[in-house]
Amino acid sequence: MAKHINVSLIGNPNTGKTSVFNLLTGLNQQVGNYPGITVERKSGVCKLPRGVKAHIIDLPGTYSLNASSLDENVVIEVLLNKKDKDYPDVAVVVSDVENLKRNLLLFTQIKDLGIPTILAINMADQMERKGISLDIPELEKRLNTKIVLMSARKKKGVEELKQCIAEYKKVPVGSCVDIFTIDPPYFEKLQKAFPKQSLYKLWLVITQDVNFANINRNTIQDASEFHTKKKSELKRLQQKETIKRFQFINDTLKETQIIDLAQAKGFRAQLDKILIHKVWGYVIFFAILLFIFQAIYDWSGYPADLIDSAFAWLGEKVKSIMPSGALTDLLSEGVIPGIAGIAIFIPQIAFLFLFISILEESGYMSRVVFLMDRIMRRFGLSGKSIVPLISGTACAIPAVMATRNIEDWKQRLITILVVPFTTCSARLPVYLIIISLIIPDERVAWIFGYQSLTLMLLYLIGFVAALGSSWLLSKYLKMPSSNLFVVEMPNYKVPLWKNVIINVYEKTKDFVTEAGKIILAISVVLWMLASYGSGEQFNNAAEIVTEANPGVAGKTLENKIESHKLEHSYIGYAGKFIEPAVAPLGYDWKIGIALISSFAAREVFVGTLATIFSVGNEAETTIKNRLLTEVNPKTGKYLFNFATGISLLLFYAFAMQCMSTIAIVKRETNGWKWPIIQTVFMSGLAYVSALIAYQVLI
């Protein structure tokens, strides 16, 4: 028995493939990208009987092996290349019991590759309610495979699936439908020309002629006696192949599947009439969004305050326990405040991912895609663009990668360029801290708070900016464009909470660990720059301040000395240098430093402020209180007033402040032209908007 088995999990979208993957692997998952391309790769480990381990690859959802996007192309690349480390010993095709006819098209194609293939029919718990019955033994015979009837929701059939995977060598191998009768002479010549190659694999290599990425394939040598057909002829053969497969599937299901509509019970059609209604659909969608933003504030307030207080206590504890010195100051004034700057927002970010996961799991997100297509078309996009835009509320990087599902290059490019306008979770800490400083914590009619309404307004501003920019780009870019739009409406279902919890855990963990590494490094650097300097003003700060403030002593004098040293430290000089550029926006040199540092990642803004304002201040003071009491020495007013706060919110709503996003846009557009244009435009719009807002409100 092999030490481990490579398993490819394959299936159409919305068949519950992710649920099956989560059941098999639990938290033993890794998320990355396929080598050389930006498609997300999920893998995990599953323990099988007799101590065998299965290495499970969750391949992107695909309807067939006739690829029309990079996601689908990845599936073909993995299944064709035996030298690939992910090449499967066994394939598990996950299907939906209600959509067997459509799902079996992909299954019959996988079977033709000569890979042991198990058919996992999911959502079996719905069979009785939908009036469906299956003759599993006869279906296994006709499909020449092993079938597992399972329910990921009820956790039924999981052990049977594991057993089948462990005994994959017993699974029948071979085709269940002969597609080569669609043009016998052509396929005979093809086989003679390449006698050592699998005929169906040859057919896939010939017909998959769209280059989605720079992926190295195993090429086949040319043969002079064989000449391939024109593209139009190959397309007709593909259509004949599909018809042939569906004829077989129809004949098979007639003998093995019974659907008694009289027994079926459902309310999908009635619910769809409301949720995708041309008026009520939008009302319900925006009501859901408003509820989400209000919940983020109401539910996360207590744990966020607890975390903030805990880090303030920890900073004070470190100062009281450890001896005075550079290391103690680094920990209490640099590292701890820097980490606190992101840790206090873990509850809000987790709740955001929670709601997004619930909307996706329930099937409602697909309705949003359909609903928004009516709006998106007016701005040069299609409904498919809404998926990256909504994904952008989590992170712009996977959102940009999600545009790979958009076949039309013009629509895809426009979507890539406007996605960063949507409010990502990295902006959330910035919004939350500034809103808490300038917007009163009061409610409208005892229901929705001013703070949650402000947060929703910022999300809407970002979305409107994305649509406005896409409209301009659709007029500016002279490229051919297709307006075809197809979206699948999955069945409504109660979210599978294990999937939701795993998704929230993975997304929050990735956000915190990735942001945490950047923030920790920047916090240390900023603390060093803020704690050291040169020249008489820094080295003789105590004498200069004492002489300028006769009669002042104690804690007040200490704070004045530390403030003077900070202003004349290395970071103080850097801040003073850029202050003329940011002063018209209502910012001082400290906020200017935070702006510059946040180009590494937006969420660094809060950590930077926490680090800068903690230098020389009492450790037990929370981040929020430190910012609330900060005074602008030039105006004598609180630094974070309403005008400055609105200016900052608008700046971050529009600014392109994420190095990783710039890098991924460069990679997706294959050059620096578009990311440079994107960065210049967004930064310019952010500066002008913040400038106007401050000058009007001051």
Side-chain angles (χ1 to χ4, degrees):
M1 181 70 69
K3 292 183 179 179
H4 75 273
I5 300 171
N6 272 356
V7 181
S8 286
L9 210 58
I10 311 168
N12 293 179
N14 302 309
T15 56
K17 180 168 63 70
T18 300
S19 300
V20 175
F21 177 72
N22 288 338
L23 273 180
L24 291 173
T25 61
L27 293 177
N28 298 316
Q29 301 178 9
Q30 289 184 338
V31 179
N33 289 335
Y34 287 92
I37 52 176
T38 53
V39 173
E40 189 175 82
R41 175 184 181 274
K42 291 181 70 176
S43 62
V45 176
C46 171
K47 292 183 180 180
L48 301 176
R50 291 184 287 174
V52 180
K53 289 185 178 179
H55 179 240
I56 300 177
I57 301 293
D58 184 13
L59 293 177
T62 178
Y63 289 102
S64 73
L65 296 185
N66 302 324
S68 61
S69 69
L70 180 64
D71 281 3
E72 295 176 339
N73 200 56
V74 163
V75 178
I76 297 171
E77 296 295 339
V78 171
L79 297 179
L80 287 184
N81 189 3
K82 285 190 175 182
K83 294 182 180 179
D84 193 308
K85 65 182 181 67
D86 293 332
Y87 184 80
D89 297 305
V90 56
V92 176
V93 177
V94 181
S95 64
D96 174 0
V97 72
E98 291 188 66
N99 296 292
L100 268 181
K101 179 178 178 180
R102 187 193 67 210
N103 300 158
L104 287 178
L105 172 64
L106 177 63
F107 171 81
T108 60
Q109 290 178 311
I110 304 295
K111 283 285 287 179
D112 284 353
L113 293 173
I115 301 171
T117 307
I118 299 167
L119 179 62
I121 302 179
N122 192 24
M123 305 183 192
D125 56 311
Q126 300 290 315
M127 289 175 65
E128 184 177 351
R129 192 167 67 89
K130 298 292 182 180
I132 300 173
S133 60
L134 294 170
D135 185 346
I136 297 298
E138 181 63 22
L139 193 57
E140 285 183 331
K141 181 180 177 182
R142 287 176 175 266
L143 296 179
N144 189 31
T145 191
K146 178 64 180 175
I147 296 176
V148 178
L149 200 61
M150 63 183 303
S151 169
R153 180 176 303 281
K154 303 291 185 182
K155 300 182 181 180
K156 293 181 179 178
V158 181
E159 295 305 319
E160 185 181 349
L161 179 59
K162 289 181 180 180
Q163 189 67 39
C164 286
I165 293 172
E167 299 175 353
Y168 73 94
K169 292 183 179 180
K170 297 180 182 179
V171 177
V173 178
S175 303
C176 51
V177 55
D178 184 7
I179 66 152
F180 305 117
T181 56
I182 58 176
D183 191 343
Y186 173 77
F187 286 106
E188 285 175 9
K189 290 179 182 179
L190 182 60
Q191 189 67 81
K192 286 180 181 179
F194 308 99
K196 295 182 180 180
Q197 300 288 337
S198 162
L199 189 55
Y200 186 62
K201 287 185 178 181
L202 286 171
W203 172 238
L204 285 178
V205 171
I206 290 170
T207 54
Q208 307 307 312
D209 57 351
V210 181
N211 292 319
F212 297 100
N214 183 22
I215 303 175
N216 296 320
R217 281 190 178 154
N218 289 339
T219 56
I220 54 177
Q221 294 181 348
D222 190 18
S224 58
E225 64 270 23
F226 174 76
H227 299 283
T228 190
K229 293 177 178 290
K230 296 179 181 178
K231 287 184 178 180
S232 59
E233 294 176 339
L234 290 174
K235 282 293 181 185
R236 280 194 290 270
L237 281 182
Q238 276 188 311
Q239 291 168 0
K240 288 184 178 180
E241 174 198 346
T242 303
I243 292 170
K244 180 93 175 171
R245 291 187 186 278
F246 273 122
Q247 286 175 342
F248 166 77
I249 293 168
N250 286 336
D251 293 340
T252 299
L253 293 181
K254 280 180 183 178
E255 300 298 325
T256 58
Q257 183 186 55
I258 298 174
I259 301 179
D260 186 355
L261 294 177
Q263 297 293 324
K265 306 168 187 175
F267 68 105
R268 171 177 163 177
Q270 288 78 8
L271 197 54
D272 275 345
K273 288 180 181 178
I274 301 173
L275 293 182
I276 59 178
H277 188 271
K278 61 183 179 181
V279 176
W280 294 113
Y282 295 106
V283 173
I284 292 170
F285 177 51
F286 286 111
I288 290 172
L289 287 180
L290 189 55
F291 168 78
I292 290 173
F293 297 134
Q294 186 63 50
I296 287 174
Y297 271 99
D298 289 347
W299 299 358
S300 60
Y302 178 74
D305 290 341
L306 191 64
I307 292 171
D308 197 11
S309 301
F311 274 96
W313 173 85
L314 181 61
E316 177 65 19
K317 201 69 176 174
V318 167
K319 275 196 168 184
S320 64
I321 294 176
M322 296 181 65
S324 299
L327 179 60
T328 301
D329 292 341
L330 171 62
L331 291 175
S332 62
E333 299 174 359
V335 175
I336 292 174
I339 296 175
I342 189 65
I344 61 173
F345 299 106
I346 291 175
Q348 289 97 329
I349 291 166
F351 280 123
L352 177 65
F353 288 132
L354 171 68
F355 288 118
I356 291 175
S357 299
I358 290 173
L359 293 180
E360 290 175 344
E361 277 279 310
S362 65
Y364 178 66
M365 193 66 84
S366 295
R367 273 74 187 176
V368 173
V369 171
F370 176 79
L371 189 67
M372 296 304 293
D373 181 60
R374 300 168 184 169
I375 295 176
M376 305 299 284
R377 285 182 179 276
R378 301 174 184 176
F379 298 93
L381 300 173
S382 76
K384 284 190 175 181
S385 299
I386 197 65
V387 175
L389 290 175
I390 292 177
S391 300
T393 59
C395 180
I397 295 170
V400 170
M401 293 190 287
T403 61
R404 292 273 188 161
N405 285 325
I406 303 173
E407 294 85 357
D408 182 81
W409 169 243
K410 181 178 180 179
Q411 293 179 350
R412 183 180 165 221
L413 177 60
I414 293 174
T415 308
I416 288 172
L417 295 177
V418 303
V419 153
F421 276 118
T422 57
T423 298
C424 66
S425 55
R427 282 188 178 109
L428 194 58
V430 182
Y431 287 171
L432 292 173
I433 192 69
I434 296 173
I435 288 173
S436 68
L437 294 174
I438 66 169
I439 304 297
D441 187 13
E442 299 174 3
R443 292 180 179 263
V444 181
W446 305 285
I447 303 175
F448 298 114
Y450 288 116
Q451 293 184 343
S452 61
L453 289 171
T454 304
L455 182 61
M456 182 175 180
L457 184 60
L458 287 166
Y459 273 77
L460 289 177
I461 287 172
F463 190 71
V464 169
L467 291 183
S469 301
S470 63
W471 181 80
L472 290 174
L473 287 168
S474 68
K475 302 298 180 185
Y476 169 75
L477 297 175
K478 304 301 180 183
M479 300 177 183
S481 179
S482 170
N483 288 319
L484 293 176
F485 171 65
V486 179
V487 63
E488 180 184 1
M489 294 289 196
N491 289 325
Y492 293 104
K493 53 184 181 290
V494 177
L496 193 61
W497 292 109
K498 182 172 183 178
N499 286 358
V500 172
I501 291 169
I502 289 176
N503 190 48
V504 171
Y505 170 77
E506 290 293 334
K507 298 287 187 181
T508 306
K509 182 188 73 173
D510 290 344
F511 176 83
V512 172
T513 53
E514 291 303 314
K517 287 186 290 187
I518 298 172
I519 289 171
L520 182 59
I522 290 179
S523 296
V524 172
V525 172
L526 290 174
W527 176 84
M528 292 180 66
L529 293 174
S531 299
Y532 296 94
S534 60
E536 183 182 352
Q537 290 291 331
F538 182 86
N539 295 326
N540 300 322
E543 292 84 352
I544 294 172
V545 173
T546 303
E547 185 178 339
N549 295 273
V552 178
K555 198 69 178 178
T556 303
L557 179 62
E558 289 180 19
N559 287 338
K560 285 183 177 292
I561 294 172
E562 292 297 338
S563 178
H564 185 86
K565 291 180 69 175
L566 178 63
E567 188 172 349
H568 294 88
S569 66
Y570 293 123
I571 201 170
Y573 288 127
K576 293 290 185 179
F577 178 76
I578 64 172
E579 190 172 31
V582 299
L585 310 183
Y587 314 154
D588 70 345
W589 63 270
K590 295 180 182 179
I591 297 178
I593 289 295
L595 283 181
I596 298 300
S597 64
S598 66
F599 270 93
R602 296 178 184 95
E603 63 274 19
V604 172
F605 176 82
V606 180
T608 301
L609 289 181
T611 301
I612 292 175
F613 285 117
S614 71
V615 176
N617 289 330
E618 297 180 31
E620 68 270 12
T621 306
T622 64
I623 295 171
K624 182 178 176 181
N625 288 336
R626 282 199 294 269
L627 299 182
L628 275 172
T629 56
E630 185 67 19
V631 175
N632 189 328
K634 291 185 177 180
T635 63
K637 299 178 181 179
Y638 286 118
L639 180 61
F640 289 93
N641 53 49
F642 184 75
T644 302
I646 295 298
S647 174
L648 272 170
L649 290 175
L650 288 176
F651 186 90
Y652 274 94
F654 298 132
M656 179 68 161
Q657 286 190 274
C658 179
M659 299 291 286
S660 300
T661 304
I662 295 172
I664 206 69
V665 171
K666 183 263 179 185
R667 189 172 184 175
E668 292 295 307
T669 58
N670 198 29
W672 282 107
K673 174 186 174 182
W674 293 112
I676 289 173
I677 292 174
Q678 181 185 43
T679 304
V680 170
F681 175 76
M682 293 184 67
S683 300
L685 179 61
Y687 188 91
V688 172
S689 301
L691 175 65
I692 293 172
Y694 181 75
Q695 295 300 327
V696 169
L697 295 173
I698 192 64

